[in-house]
Every structure is written in C-alpha cells, then in structure tokens.
Amino acid sequence: MANDMQVGISTSADIVTARQRGRELASELGFSGSDLTVLATAISEVARNIIEHAKEGEVILEPTHNGSKQGILIIASDRGPGIPDVDRALQDGYSSGKGLGLGLPGAKRLMDEFKVVSEVGKGTTVTMKKWVR
Amino acid sequence: MAKQEEATFIQSAAESPTALLRELVAHLRQNRTQLREEWARRITEAGLLTAMSREEVFAEATTVYDNYVAVLETGSVEALEAYARDLSERIIPRGVETHEVLGIVLLLRDVLARSLFKKYQSDIALLNRVLDAYEPAANRIANTVGVSFVQERERVIRQQQEAIRELSTPVLQVRARLLILPIIGVIDPQRARQLTEQLLRGIRSNRAKVVVIDITGVPAVDATIANHLVQAVDASRLMGATVIVTGLSSSIAQTLVTIGVDLAKMKTVGDLQGGIEEAERLLGYKVSRVGEAPAQEETG
Amino acid sequence: MRVPILKQHSYLIASIQSALTDDDLLQLRDDLVAQIGRFRSRGAIVDVTALDVMDSFAVRTLRGVAHMIRLRGAQTVIVGIQPEVAFSMVQLGLTLEEVATALDLEEGLAYLDDQPKSNGRHGE
Ligand SMILES: Nc1ncnc2c1ncn2[C@@H]1O[C@H](COP(=O)(O)OP(=O)(O)O)[C@@H](O)[C@H]1O
Ligand SMILES: [Mg+2]
C-alpha cells in the first residue's frame, strides 16, 4: 500500500519526524482530535526508547483493518540490547536509566493494542494498534 | 460506401472493450438530453427521492449522468466517489434512504441498457459485446455510489450519537471563568473519555479557571471510572484550571482511596451549592448568603 | 530550532514556535537557566501552545527547568497546554505536579504577579 511508511530512528530529530508522519497518516485514516495527539505521543515514546536504549532502529507506520474497523499499526523495532524483564519494563515508574519509566506503560495505555517482543542481545519490537472511533 | 465504412468501424471496435466503451460514451453524450430526461421521469414514477423537488432531482440527475459517462470514459471512479459523498452529505439530512439511492443508480443502468438495446438490436452479437463491456463498468458505478452513501450515512449516525452523548452532559458556564459539569447517569469508559475531552475543550473556549464536577447523579463508580475522574482533574490542572468535585458519596470516596487516590489532593465539597461557593471564593468573588441560604445548607 | 526568550520586566518568556527535538528542549533549558541568573528575573514563563506533543522527555526536561529556576529563587509557569495534549499527558501518566501551570500567557503573567515578591535571593 502506498500509505506505508518507514522512518529510520537514529537522532532526536527522527523522533519528531516519526510522530509527525504518524499524525499525518492517522489523519488520512480518519482519526481526529485528541486521538491524533494520543498517537503522536505514543510514537514519540517508543521512538525515544530506541534512541535511549538501543541507539538506532526504525518505526513503521501503516493502515490496518479489522472487519470494517479502520486503524493504524505502528511497529518500532531495533537490534539493541533487548529487555531482560518485559513485565517489569511495563510497570509504571520502572526505568533502567534516569527516565521517568512511563514510556512503555504509558504508550500501552494510549493505544488499543500493545505488544512487546524482546530478546536479550537481539533486539526489541514494539507493535501497537489503535482503531478509529 | 457509407454502409461499408460503418461495418469496418464496428468490426474494429468489436476487437477491444476499450473501443466499445468509447463508442458507448459517444452514444451517451449524443443522447444526453433525452436519456437524462427519461431517467428523471423514471425516478419520479418510481416514487424515489420524494423529499426533493423536480428541479433538484433533475439537477442532481444531470451531474450523476455526466459523472457516470466520465467513469465509463476514464475508468476512474474517484471523481464519482467524491461527488457521491458530497451528494450523500446533502441528501442524508433530508431523509433520503439507502434504497432510494441504490434505486436511482439501478434505474440509470436500466435506462442506458435499454437505449443500447435499441441501438444495437439489429446485431445481437454486437449488442452482446457492448453489454459485456458496459455491465462491469455499470456495476462498478452502482457499487461506488452505494458504498459512498452507506459510509456517509454511518458517519452521520456516529456524529449524531456523539452529539447526543454530549448533549446529555452539558458543560455549563455559570459565570465568567467558572464551569459546571453535572454528570447524570452511568459512566462507561467511552463516556468518561468523552466527558473529559468536552471539559478540556470547554476550559479552553471559556477560559475557565475553576470547574465544578458534580457526580451526585452518578449511581456507581468503579476503579476504571474513578481513574478517569482523576485524569480529568489532572488534565484540567495542566490547563491551569482547578477542579472541585461535588456529590462524592462515601462509597465512591472509598473506591478512590482503594485505587490510591490521595483525597487530600483532590478538592471535594459535599454538594453542588457548596462547590459553587467554594469556586467563587477561589475566583475572588465575595460570597454572601442571604436569607434562605442557611436553610438550604441544612437540607444539602 | 532555537526557542526565542523574551525579557519582559522581571520575567522571562520562552515561547515555543513549533515542534521541538530533544536537543532543542535541552538548549531551551540551558538558555533559560543562564538568563534567569544573568537578568535576575523573578519568574519564567514557558509557552508550549505550539507543542504538538508533551511526552515523558519534555515533561522531565520542563520539571528540570522548574527545579533549577527554583534553586535560583525564581518561579516557573508552563502555559498553553492544549486540551488534546493535556488529555494525552494524563493518560501517559504525566501530571507536572510540582510545576505551576496556567491557561495562556496572560494568565501566566497574572499568576507570577500574584506571587509574593520576597521569594529567594533575588527578591526585591
Ligand atoms: N527499545 C528498547 N531496548 C532496550 N530496552 C528498552 C527499550 N525500550 C524500553 N527498554 C527498557 O524498558 C525500560 C522502561 O522503558 P520506559 O517505560 O520507556 O521508561 P524509560 O525509557 O523512561 O526508562 C527502560 O528503562 C529500558 O530498560
Ligand atoms: Mg522511555
């Protein structure tokens, strides 16, 4: 589909690009108002995690469907160090660095579907979806 | 000689559906006036689009007709799609139903097919080829118009539902910079989210400094809804507004404590009247009670 | 993009004009803290009306700004958080509890004017 987008993430400017692209695509897909900001915020968090915890990676943005429901699929992936304890990383306030530890659990709250797959030494993939209301 | 030429033309045209369609388009353009009128007449006869005047039906019929021919010519339904959505947007509020829209498109298909039949009836083989080229395009058009209409209708219905929900909890401005949000009835997560968005927009547009959320009329609050309430309070503060919650029953207060809300941090006042007075104090108004006020407090 | 900082009487006003990268935000923090010291300002207003998103990094940085400015005896007010942004922030879990917030620049100035003058070393 022509709507697919891939944004390489290696500098803090890429975070801004990723969330702006996400907002544009979401708006084309029929998202509106606060949902656009909600999506941009979630993208910002997972893209920042790539830079902060894995140095580089990418964010893929694409339309998705479920029956007649239209939605957006966001995949943030990297080949960084991976997360040893995903459940713990998903807890409010847990950070292995000096972050607020709200990125992963917060993004999960912002989205309708959220999944983290991570393997130590191999990398991390966060897959998340939101449906148009 | 002329006869000979026509025969050659038909022969070559028969070789590709594109050429057939081109010939079809020319035919529809040539007979535009007559076919369009025929169609409008059939629409009226069938009792379709009764919500619209004759002139309106004729005007829309003309545009649909031209779009129809354009689709046959270009093979692209985009312009038709846009027009169909626009048309739907105009006629849905007037009560036009899905079956009417499908009805008129099918009628046009029929009017045009009959005209093709008349034109080519002397050569059944050619007629068949023409119809073979025409049918899929005509079906695609009917489909496009139908789908556009249904989608638009769904969108309108969703919007109306939102509007009704918003109406059921008005954000009231009682005086400059003071908003009241009296919530009545059951709150589910969707309504809670909508209430919060509505409240935040209200703060912005009314430049509110204090908000009183009255939940006297809310029968039950579970942990999820309590969380939404806390979010509404926090988000309001981010916009510079103070929230006072009134009508908090002791069981709701208990729920809030259970989910870890520090009630000391949340401004709560027993009843709406008291909440408004507190709000006015915060806004720097002098609150003076006259005559009947103390009695009111006793009953509150 | 560098955020312009305006000096108005005893206040500094930083008005963010567009989406900011993390580096822009850190630059803003350093600029603000340096200028608060240089001009002995009583307060700083950060106008975030134009920010598309306030994520955990932005909040952490703004908290840091407020903290450093407080150490220098001045006050910080964040103004202009938009309804959708506020909505997303609380869902993310961000509340900016220890920082003052106001609806817009005008309200932010009014807030600072209301503060007692004798806060910290630079009070008159
Ligand atoms: N892409 C990633 N690669 C490796 N570790 C990660 C990644 N994303 C998150 N983490 C780990 O999960 C923890 C929690 O993430 P998050 O909730 O975003 O908090 P923060 O980024 O503020 O530390 C991080 O501290 C880090 O240890
Ligand atoms: Mg993070």
Side-chain angles (χ1 to χ4, degrees):
Chain A
M1 224 178 187
N3 274 337
D4 289 24
M5 267 182 278
Q6 185 183 336
V7 184
I9 306 290
S10 60
T11 69
S12 82
D14 296 332
I15 301 176
V16 178
T17 307
R19 69 189 190 217
Q20 285 175 346
R21 293 276 153 74
R23 190 190 277 268
E24 282 159 24
L25 173 60
S27 156
E28 276 167 34
L29 293 175
F31 285 95
S32 61
S34 58
D35 274 352
L36 293 176
T37 307
V38 160
L39 280 166
T41 309
I43 294 170
S44 202
E45 292 297 339
V46 292
R48 166 158 302 99
N49 277 350
I50 292 177
I51 295 203
E52 274 179 10
H53 308 294
K55 289 215 163 51
E56 58 177 33
E58 63 175 21
V59 170
I60 294 171
L61 307 158
E62 60 187 57
T64 185
H65 302 269
N66 182 1
S68 69
K69 268 196 301 185
Q70 174 90 15
I72 187 169
L73 166 66
I74 299 158
I75 304 169
S77 61
D78 62 66
R79 292 164 174 280
I83 305 174
D85 186 345
V86 171
D87 287 341
R88 186 153 169 231
L90 278 167
Q91 278 168 19
D92 272 333
Y94 170 76
S95 173
S96 59
K98 53 184 166 47
L100 297 177
L102 288 172
L104 287 182
K108 185 176 179 183
R109 276 191 293 270
L110 293 172
M111 302 296 292
D112 292 328
E113 289 175 34
F114 189 90
K115 194 176 75 192
V116 182
V117 175
S118 188
E119 199 176 327
V120 173
K122 290 255 170 75
T124 303
T125 300
V126 178
T127 307
M128 46 194 203
K129 286 184 192 169
K130 195 168 184 73
W131 305 108
V132 177
R133 305 192 238 128
Chain B
M1 192 60 189
K3 188 106 190 126
Q4 181 62 34
E5 258 179 40
E6 199 189 357
T8 328
F9 172 59
I10 288 168
Q11 195 60 43
S12 63
E15 274 156 25
S16 86
T18 336
L20 273 180
L21 275 178
R22 211 178 302 137
E23 198 189 326
L24 213 97
V25 167
H27 170 72
L28 297 184
R29 288 242 163 84
Q30 250 164 39
N31 299 285
R32 177 171 181 260
T33 312
Q34 179 229 325
L35 289 173
R36 203 177 36 168
E37 268 161 20
E38 163 82 3
W39 183 33
R41 192 178 54 77
R42 296 270 309 270
I43 291 176
T44 318
E45 268 175 22
L48 297 172
L49 302 184
T50 44
M52 295 161 76
S53 74
R54 240 179 173 29
E55 292 73 33
E56 282 175 313
V57 170
F58 191 71
E60 301 291 3
T62 303
T63 318
V64 175
Y65 188 95
D66 291 343
N67 270 300
Y68 200 102
V69 177
V71 173
L72 290 175
E73 186 172 36
T74 62
S76 154
V77 291
E78 252 169 56
L80 176 69
E81 221 166 47
Y83 172 73
R85 264 201 303 273
D86 177 66
L87 172 67
S88 307
E89 205 175 316
R90 277 181 283 124
I91 61 181
I92 287 169
R94 305 179 58 174
V96 175
E97 298 285 340
T98 312
H99 78 265
E100 295 184 273
V101 170
L102 291 176
I104 65 167
V105 180
L106 293 176
L107 270 182
L108 177 58
R109 185 166 166 265
D110 186 59
V111 167
L112 299 187
R114 274 167 200 268
S115 134
L116 292 175
F117 194 81
K118 215 188 280 162
K119 181 170 155 82
Y120 295 111
Q121 61 187 345
S122 59
D123 184 343
I124 297 297
L126 177 58
L127 174 64
N128 274 335
R129 284 197 298 278
V130 169
L131 288 178
D132 278 351
Y134 171 68
E135 285 285 316
N139 288 341
R140 201 156 149 241
I141 293 171
N143 194 46
T144 302
V145 173
V147 167
S148 301
F149 183 85
V150 170
Q151 279 178 349
E152 184 61 27
R153 225 178 112 91
E154 282 176 358
R155 200 182 59 81
V156 169
I157 290 171
R158 266 201 306 276
Q159 254 177 10
Q160 285 170 344
Q161 283 171 341
E162 288 264 308
I164 289 168
R165 251 184 257 122
E166 291 216 357
L167 275 181
S168 68
T169 309
V171 176
L172 309 168
Q173 176 167 29
V174 280
R175 62 194 302 169
R177 324 218 57 188
L178 171 55
L179 293 182
I180 296 183
L181 185 71
I183 307 178
I184 293 168
V186 177
I187 313 180
D188 58 16
Q190 195 192 341
R191 183 167 179 226
R193 191 190 52 218
Q194 197 187 15
L195 283 172
T196 307
E197 290 185 34
Q198 208 183 328
L199 171 65
L200 298 177
R201 284 198 303 268
I203 291 174
R204 172 91 254 176
S205 56
N206 296 288
R207 305 193 79 244
K209 251 188 114 90
V210 184
V211 177
V212 180
I213 300 181
D214 180 53
I215 58 170
T216 312
V218 180
V221 172
D222 63 11
T224 314
I225 301 307
N227 262 317
H228 280 285
L229 182 64
V230 174
Q231 285 183 357
V233 172
D234 287 342
S236 301
R237 199 197 79 83
L238 286 172
M239 296 187 63
T242 304
V243 177
I244 299 169
V245 181
T246 62
L248 204 75
S249 70
S250 59
S251 74
I252 294 178
Q254 204 121 49
T255 309
L256 286 170
V257 173
T258 316
I259 63 163
V261 176
D262 186 353
L263 276 182
K265 274 205 235 149
M266 186 138 116
K267 263 194 197 342
T268 59
V269 175
D271 65 355
L272 183 57
Q273 175 68 28
I276 293 175
E277 284 171 12
E278 172 66 17
E280 291 180 331
R281 253 190 296 278
L282 287 175
L283 285 167
Y285 294 110
K286 265 223 187 74
V287 181
S288 53
R289 294 184 155 226
V290 244
E292 84 288 357
Q296 238 176 6
E297 189 165 57
E298 271 165 27
T299 58
Chain C
M1 174 181 297
R2 204 168 183 135
V3 178
I5 298 177
L6 254 84
K7 187 174 169 301
Q8 181 169 330
H9 308 298
S10 50
Y11 306 135
L12 293 181
I13 300 169
S15 48
I16 296 169
Q17 308 289 322
S18 64
L20 293 187
T21 67
D22 298 357
D23 300 331
D24 299 334
L25 261 170
L26 294 175
Q27 181 72 52
L28 169 63
R29 178 193 63 191
D30 297 346
D31 289 352
L32 257 181
V33 173
Q35 294 196 27
I36 281 277
R38 173 149 19 109
F39 297 119
R40 304 184 151 236
S41 308
R42 287 178 49 223
I45 294 178
V46 182
D47 186 348
V48 299
T49 308
L51 267 196
D52 60 330
V53 153
M54 280 266 249
D55 60 8
S56 60
F57 183 83
V59 166
R60 180 153 58 102
T61 311
L62 290 176
R63 275 189 194 165
V65 169
H67 182 71
M68 284 187 247
I69 288 181
R70 204 177 305 124
L71 290 178
R72 289 170 177 270
Q75 293 255 357
T76 308
V77 192
I78 310 289
V79 306
I81 296 180
Q82 295 301 300
E84 313 83 57
V85 175
F87 183 76
S88 304
M89 284 174 74
V90 294
Q91 281 187 65
L92 202 62
L94 303 166
T95 51
L96 268 175
E97 249 156 33
E98 55 294 334
V99 186
T101 47
L103 187 73
D104 52 21
L105 192 55
E106 189 186 331
E107 285 298 310
L109 286 167
Y111 173 87
L112 287 178
D113 283 339
D114 280 351
Q115 301 302 302
K117 282 209 164 188
S118 59
N119 46 18
R121 299 181 275 151
H122 298 306
E124 279 114 298

